[in-house]
Amino acid sequence: SSGINAEWPLRPGVKNKIDNRDFRHTLGIEQVLREGIEVDRVNEDIEEMIYKQEPLKKVLRLLCIQCIAADGLKPKVLEFYKREIIQSYGYHHLITFDRLEKCGLMYMQEKTPKKSYPILRSTLNLTVSNVNEREPNDIAYVHSGYAPLTVRLVNWMTQRSGLKYLADMVKHLPGPAFNDHQKLSTTQDRLEHSDNHTLVYFLGGCTYAEVSALRFLAQHHPNNATFTIATTKLINGNSLLDTLIEPCGKENIPDFLT
């Protein structure tokens, strides 16, 4: 399944984009990866993209998704990708890989993988195969069957029944986590804060998919919750990679090659 309904009313420019063969091929690879099953199946597809010297952002985007879905890349696979990309796109991308590794987007798989993504995918129901498109009732509707992990967490945190499971889920996420509960001192404070309004702040950037999912969640939340979204920047996969990919300029070329 492409995750795109042919019956949706679309502008000509958008329709031409999604009808593009390369776009659908890439989307199919992403859907295989987000299912988190047999992620090595896409190795040959990514390898072929490198040999064809397709846009580097497209290749790195898929590699990062594969890395997260597999809890890291196998040592031989990671070294192979590094070697082929450096040979095909330039030695200066050693710096690119260094940045990706520091950001936690590209890393080597441990001998015993933690399987964090498969656990989160199952526990939080991140992928929904049969989205009701006529009467949508799940945030996965806004992203072709994928529910943004951050918005799933927000949903759980704004429902009391979900709080007791939160600690078990957060331990599978990278980086530190903490929980701080603000106590309301007076009855007046409680009354002023009883509208179930939540501020969701994304440090580092927020995607349009997350914004759409939060809007959808507000419309269908069982507790009539409302959300205010704040972020340091609106981003997508390409704009994020733009900040990490080392450009090829004269300053990066050794004197003996000029």
Side-chain angles (χ1 to χ4, degrees), residues 33-34 36 68-69 71 115-121 126-127 146:
L33 292 174
R34 77 184 187 191
I68 292 170
D71 252 332
K115 298 183 178 180
S116 296
Y117 175 74
I119 292 172
L120 289 168
R121 186 182 68 84
L126 296 181
T127 56
Y146 175 77

Side-chain angles (χ1 to χ4, degrees), residues 94-107:
L94 280 168
I95 300 173
T96 301
F97 275 102
D98 181 63
R99 290 171 179 166
L100 290 170
E101 290 170 3
K102 287 180 178 177
C103 290
L105 293 174
M106 192 81 65
Y107 51 94

Side-chain angles (χ1 to χ4, degrees), residues 72-91:
L73 297 174
K74 296 175 182 177
K76 289 185 178 180
V77 173
L78 180 56
E79 289 305 314
F80 172 79
Y81 282 146
K82 278 186 179 180
R83 183 176 66 250
E84 295 303 315
I85 286 176
I86 289 167
Q87 289 178 354
S88 296
Y89 297 92
Y91 76 95

Side-chain angles (χ1 to χ4, degrees), residues 184-242:
L184 300 178
S185 57
T186 66
T187 303
Q188 183 63 30
D189 286 337
R190 293 187 183 92
L191 290 173
E192 291 177 355
H193 293 80
S194 62
D195 59 352
N196 204 15
H197 193 109
T198 303
L199 170 65
V200 183
Y201 202 111
F202 294 86
L203 290 173
C206 172
T207 65
Y208 288 101
E210 289 169 316
V211 173
S212 298
L214 280 169
R215 287 174 175 170
F216 184 93
L217 179 60
Q219 294 169 0
H220 298 80
H221 200 281
N223 298 332
N224 296 318
T226 56
F227 302 98
T228 296
I229 305 167
T231 183
T232 50
K233 190 174 183 179
L234 280 169
I235 62 171
N236 59 30
N238 287 336
S239 64
L240 174 61
L241 287 172
D242 279 335

Side-chain angles (χ1 to χ4, degrees), residues 5-61:
N5 192 324
E7 297 179 358
W8 289 351
L10 299 170
R11 293 183 178 180
V14 177
K15 190 175 188 306
N16 291 338
K17 175 70 174 179
I18 66 172
D19 286 343
N20 181 275
R21 184 177 179 181
D22 287 341
F23 174 83
R24 286 187 170 270
H25 180 231
T26 303
L27 180 63
I29 295 174
E30 289 184 4
Q31 289 180 326
V32 169
L33 292 174
R34 77 184 187 191
E35 290 296 327
I37 303 172
E38 297 181 357
V39 294
D40 290 338
R41 283 170 48 193
V42 305
N43 287 356
E44 291 184 5
D45 295 285
I46 297 176
E47 183 180 339
E48 184 177 356
M49 290 179 184
I50 296 172
Y51 290 156
K52 290 181 177 178
Q53 288 194 317
E54 296 196 23
L56 182 59
K57 276 189 288 188
K58 176 181 177 181
V59 174
L60 290 178
R61 179 189 176 103

